[in-house]
Amino acid sequence: MRALDLDYMLGLVPVILGYVPLTLFMAVAGMGFALILASLLAVERVAKIPVLDWFVVLFISFFRGTPLLVQLFLFYFGLPQVLSFLTQIDGVTAAIMGLTLHFSAYMAESIRAAIMGVDRSQWEAAQSIGMTQGQMMWRIILPQAARIAAPTLVNYFIDMIKGTSLAFTLGVTEMMGAAQKEAAGSFLYFEAFLVVAVMYWVIVEVLSQGQKRLETHLNKAFVR
Amino acid sequence: MIDISGLTKHFGGGPVLNNIDLQIADGERVVVIGPSGTGKSTLLRCLNFLDVPQAGRITIGDVTVDAAKAGKADVLALRRRTAMVFQNYALFANKTAKQNIMEALVTVQKRSKAEAGERALAVLAETGLADKADSYPAALSGGQQQRVGIGRAMALEAELMLFDEPTSALDPEWVGEVLDLMRAVAERKQTMLIVTHEMQFAREIADRVIFMDGGKIVENGAPSEIFGSPKDARLQKFLKRVEG
Ligand SMILES: Nc1ncnc2c1ncn2[C@@H]1O[C@H](COP(=O)(O)OP(=O)(O)OP(=O)(O)O)[C@@H](O)[C@H]1O
Ligand SMILES: [Mg+2]
């Protein structure tokens, strides 16, 4: 056994901190796109549009049924061999695409369940006052579904932040990639990876606090 | 003028509405009574296509819809000429009392927010809930929620107001205030089609009472006839049971 090199670890903190923005950028962009895509997928799953529904089911099944790492490799290394216009795609873009598709499949299922969780009589009330399907979804159902789904969606966001660490396998230097490079130079693998682990942990803890506040805010219409 | 003819509905099995004919004059108040499961709710729900009838013709004011070939536009047209009050209130849980009433005025009738807001406050005042404008449904009693539900329907100024057992889900203590509000609506010569088990209220408010059984209108007449000298044996039996 040897003692931890604390000075080395402290010195590493600002270095890795410099890569937090890129990690968060990938996660926020991935989450934004995934929310939009997942909502569309979920609304389709509720409406069950003929033919399209079949493709949506297949999409969700595939992206839930295969590992994120395999999907990332498929996009980044595999697809450009088949689709030549994809050759310019960089690692960050590929990672965001992969995270979007992968997480939208999971999130679509939670959003669908949340939509179905909105009391049936409110759908009927919305229809009875002459709203179109779109108005009903957008103004009555989705806001309430968002509240039901919010805790789960924040959990997916946390998973997504951790998932960005896989981008380093596509040659992206984000937090994990930076730690890997540092460790390869110093041979202090334990210290380098411990620093990066703690930093992910802190980010996730901060978010969990935000999650609690968000839930209180979203529930304000529903408490006596 | 409301004109329903040949209205027929089945949910896969036998008919729940069997060739219903019914006319309602402007300003008329018609109460529907009958045993459980005879199609009273289904009749109301077919008029605004919450349930889709298989056959029949529905005329409400200036629109006539043939059920067999009704498209999206026909359905919206009917819904925009009717307003429904639900047994379990069905308020939008994510909106305040005022917003519940404004919602259709803004999104469906395309009025300005300011105008809709004023109208909503005026309606809330009529329902006696001016002080609850900014309360969410979860913070209101059952009676208050149903009064907002009636207010939401009143604000639409629809040709026909549909009430499906508006007091059945209420604790007894709240029934009176909801019936009072319905009396106030009736005062305004609003055309109303009401399903209720409140026989005393039916006697008092109805211009005409309809007794349904087995998906058919069995008897149709003034309250004095229906309650005073019921002819059909099924109606006599029904009244004996509900009036004790
Ligand atoms: N969505 C549905 N699917 C299948 N059957 C239905 C559906 N809705 C109603 N029914 C059936 O249609 C019949 C009439 O129902 P309806 O709700 O119109 O009766 P009702 O007269 O309103 O009864 P109640 O007084 O209990 O409210 C019942 O036998 C009911 O089981
Ligand atoms: Mg009923």
Side-chain angles (χ1 to χ4, degrees):
Chain A
M1 245 178 83
R2 65 175 174 81
L4 280 182
D5 190 336
L6 287 174
D7 285 345
Y8 174 75
M9 288 172 71
L10 280 176
L12 209 51
V13 169
V15 178
I16 309 282
L17 261 182
Y19 294 92
V20 169
L22 180 57
T23 289
L24 289 183
F25 169 73
M26 288 191 289
V28 169
M31 189 67 186
F33 290 130
L35 269 178
I36 295 168
L37 182 56
S39 302
L40 294 174
L41 293 170
V43 168
E44 192 295 318
R45 286 294 290 133
V46 172
K48 291 203 171 36
I49 300 161
V51 188
L52 186 58
D53 192 50
W54 193 84
F55 282 103
V56 170
V57 169
L58 190 72
F59 175 94
I60 292 175
S61 166
F62 177 81
F63 283 99
R64 287 177 62 168
T66 50
L68 176 56
L69 185 60
V70 175
Q71 290 164 15
L72 290 175
F73 276 35
L74 203 54
F75 288 124
Y76 188 68
F77 300 112
L79 269 193
Q81 293 190 339
V82 200
L83 305 171
S84 50
F85 65 89
L86 278 177
T87 43
Q88 304 94 337
I89 203 174
D90 62 280
V92 173
T93 312
I96 292 173
M97 263 179 59
L99 290 168
T100 298
L101 296 174
H102 182 79
F103 281 92
S104 67
Y106 281 94
M107 286 161 46
E109 283 301 294
S110 336
I111 296 175
R112 189 191 65 84
I115 290 174
M116 300 312 285
V118 177
D119 178 19
R120 194 73 222 162
S121 71
Q122 289 187 52
W123 297 62
E124 296 190 338
Q127 290 166 348
S128 79
I129 60 176
M131 284 181 146
T132 62
Q133 294 290 313
Q135 288 170 335
M136 171 181 72
M137 271 295 165
W138 190 245
R139 299 187 52 91
I140 307 296
I141 308 300
L142 286 179
Q144 296 185 64
R147 165 182 159 264
I148 300 172
T152 322
L153 295 180
V154 176
N155 284 341
Y156 282 130
F157 183 51
I158 287 170
D159 275 353
M160 181 133 25
I161 290 175
K162 293 184 285 189
T164 58
S165 63
L166 290 176
F168 109 92
T169 62
L170 309 184
V172 178
T173 309
E174 37 63 73
M175 287 166 64
M176 181 61 192
Q180 161 77 23
K181 276 190 187 150
E182 289 295 328
S186 65
F187 293 105
L188 293 172
Y189 286 98
F190 187 77
E191 279 86 346
F193 292 135
L194 187 58
V195 167
V196 83
V198 168
M199 287 179 60
Y200 278 115
W201 188 11
V202 169
I203 293 173
V204 169
E205 270 310 306
V206 169
L207 264 167
S208 303
Q209 293 307 315
Q211 181 175 22
K212 283 184 197 128
R213 292 205 183 166
L214 176 71
E215 281 171 35
T216 317
H217 172 73
L218 288 172
N219 282 333
K220 82 175 187 301
F222 300 88
V223 289
R224 275 176 176 268
Chain B
M1 170 73 182
I2 319 292
D3 187 357
I4 301 158
S5 68
L7 192 65
T8 297
K9 168 73 187 171
H10 50 78
F11 295 98
V16 169
L17 292 181
N18 194 352
N19 212 14
I20 299 271
D21 294 324
L22 177 64
Q23 283 81 41
I24 304 173
D26 287 338
E28 198 179 12
R29 301 174 294 247
V30 177
V31 169
V32 184
I33 59 171
S36 184
T38 50
K40 304 183 297 296
S41 297
T42 308
L43 170 62
L44 265 54
R45 293 166 55 85
C46 279
L47 297 185
N48 62 6
F49 272 70
L50 289 184
D51 286 333
V52 180
Q54 277 82 21
R57 219 189 49 223
I58 301 169
T59 299
I60 299 178
D62 58 350
V63 289
T64 298
V65 173
D66 181 348
K69 44 187 181 220
K72 261 189 197 162
D74 296 317
V75 171
L76 282 183
L78 280 182
R79 287 178 181 165
R80 288 170 186 180
R81 280 164 187 73
T82 55
M84 187 170 238
V85 176
F86 295 83
Q87 183 170 343
N88 61 355
Y89 337 128
L91 295 183
F92 304 129
N94 60 329
K95 302 201 174 280
T96 62
K98 181 181 169 195
Q99 290 167 341
N100 263 277
I101 296 173
M102 285 174 66
E103 186 59 30
L105 304 183
V106 175
T107 56
V108 179
Q109 299 185 352
K110 306 289 178 204
R111 302 200 214 177
S112 74
K113 273 215 167 114
E115 192 195 336
E118 267 177 43
R119 174 99 183 97
L121 288 178
V123 169
L124 276 174
E126 286 181 71
T127 64
L129 292 170
D131 58 326
K132 300 290 183 189
D134 298 322
S135 300
Y136 286 93
L140 299 175
S141 74
Q144 291 170 333
Q145 288 189 58
Q146 190 58 300
R147 280 150 67 196
V148 174
I150 294 172
R152 178 173 66 183
M154 284 163 69
L156 294 172
E157 295 176 311
E159 200 77 39
L160 172 65
M161 262 174 97
L162 304 165
F163 295 80
D164 190 6
E165 299 197 34
T167 57
S168 294
L170 291 173
D171 287 339
E173 55 181 319
W174 309 125
V175 170
E177 62 187 47
V178 169
L179 294 182
D180 283 343
L181 180 56
M182 288 175 66
R183 285 185 190 100
V185 174
E187 294 274 303
R188 300 155 32 134
K189 285 285 147 205
Q190 166 74 52
T191 314
M192 299 161 89
L193 183 58
I194 305 166
V195 176
T196 185
H197 290 296
E198 298 282 339
M199 293 301 147
Q200 187 48 45
F201 177 72
R203 255 178 225 266
E204 168 202 332
I205 202 175
D207 295 313
R208 195 144 53 96
V209 178
I210 285 169
F211 173 67
M212 280 183 74
D213 194 19
K216 282 193 177 265
I217 295 179
V218 174
E219 223 166 299
N220 179 354
S224 57
E225 295 165 21
I226 298 285
F227 295 109
S229 51
K231 292 186 248 336
D232 193 277
R234 283 171 288 179
L235 174 55
Q236 292 166 357
K237 198 173 134 220
F238 174 75
L239 289 176
K240 194 167 269 170
R241 189 155 48 75
V242 295
E243 295 190 316

